[in-house]
Amino acid sequence: MQTQAIKTIEFERPAMNPASPPALGPGLTAEFDLKYGLKLLWSHKAAITATAALGLALGFLITYLETPIYRSQALVQIDPPGQNLSALSNPYPATALNWFDHQNYYNTQYRIIHSKALAEKVVYKLKLAPGASAKGAANAAAAFLGSVQVIPVPDTRLAQIAVTHEDPEKAALWANTLAEA
């Protein structure tokens, strides 16, 4: 049997002193000189101040030019369908609603409040449609629904109907009309 010798190649690593940072180039080190940084900021203070003032002024201008959006809310109570008195005599009636039935009932009511049919009824009542055509009423109802949000109040039978609009009086009128519909 023949054996072969395996050559190993060793690389030399340069000795590094952990106390001194590595050199980045001629005259550059990785250390941060606080005095130099502050001196640099101070020498460019006019440009830094002008940039900050311009940003602040631009922010105020954009905020001033924004159209305010108002939100009006109406609180409605949603009662489940009542049971008849004869069902009260039986402690476990067959027609009693369980938790899942109540959840389905309330979710259905929330969907009805946010439905296109109810929106068309409100649009007709408020005379928001641009004309008497069905297409105009449908477009107005879709735009109306875009500003409506139904928010269930947790652990209650209440729901908030929130309407957003640029005019606070219209937002309140729309929310109240939808709550009454």
Side-chain angles (χ1 to χ4, degrees):
M1 266 189 144
Q2 295 179 347
T3 58
Q4 285 185 329
I6 299 175
K7 282 186 170 180
T8 59
I9 301 173
E10 292 185 28
F11 295 100
E12 280 189 41
R13 292 186 183 167
M16 291 184 65
N17 183 358
S20 67
L24 298 175
L28 298 175
T29 62
E31 286 183 8
F32 178 72
D33 186 11
L34 183 61
K35 282 184 180 181
Y36 175 73
L38 292 175
K39 193 176 184 183
L40 185 65
L41 287 174
W42 188 254
S43 66
H44 293 89
K45 67 182 174 207
I48 293 170
T49 305
T51 304
L54 181 66
L56 190 63
L58 187 62
F60 278 127
L61 179 66
I62 289 172
T63 303
Y64 180 73
L65 294 177
E66 284 288 317
T67 303
I69 302 294
Y70 298 95
R71 180 179 175 147
S72 182
Q73 296 179 347
L75 190 66
V76 293
Q77 180 176 342
I78 302 172
D79 291 322
Q83 294 180 346
N84 58 16
L85 292 177
S86 65
L88 296 176
S89 62
N90 183 0
Y92 304 107
T95 60
L97 296 176
N98 61 23
W99 185 82
F100 295 106
D101 293 333
H102 280 286
Q103 289 295 56
N104 287 339
Y105 177 77
Y106 289 121
N107 286 331
T108 302
Q109 296 303 310
Y110 302 146
R111 298 280 176 139
I112 290 172
I113 293 171
H114 201 268
S115 69
K116 186 175 180 181
L118 194 57
E120 287 175 353
K121 184 177 176 182
V122 171
V123 164
Y124 178 76
K125 188 173 183 179
L126 293 174
K127 298 178 177 80
L128 297 176
S133 69
K135 185 178 179 182
N139 289 342
F144 176 77
L145 279 179
S147 66
V148 173
Q149 185 180 16
V150 179
I151 307 162
V153 178
D155 301 326
T156 65
R157 295 180 299 181
L158 303 175
Q160 289 181 345
I161 300 172
V163 177
T164 56
H165 196 274
E166 292 94 11
D167 184 7
E169 290 157 359
K170 282 187 180 180
L173 178 65
W174 291 8
N176 291 333
T177 305
L178 182 60
E180 291 170 1

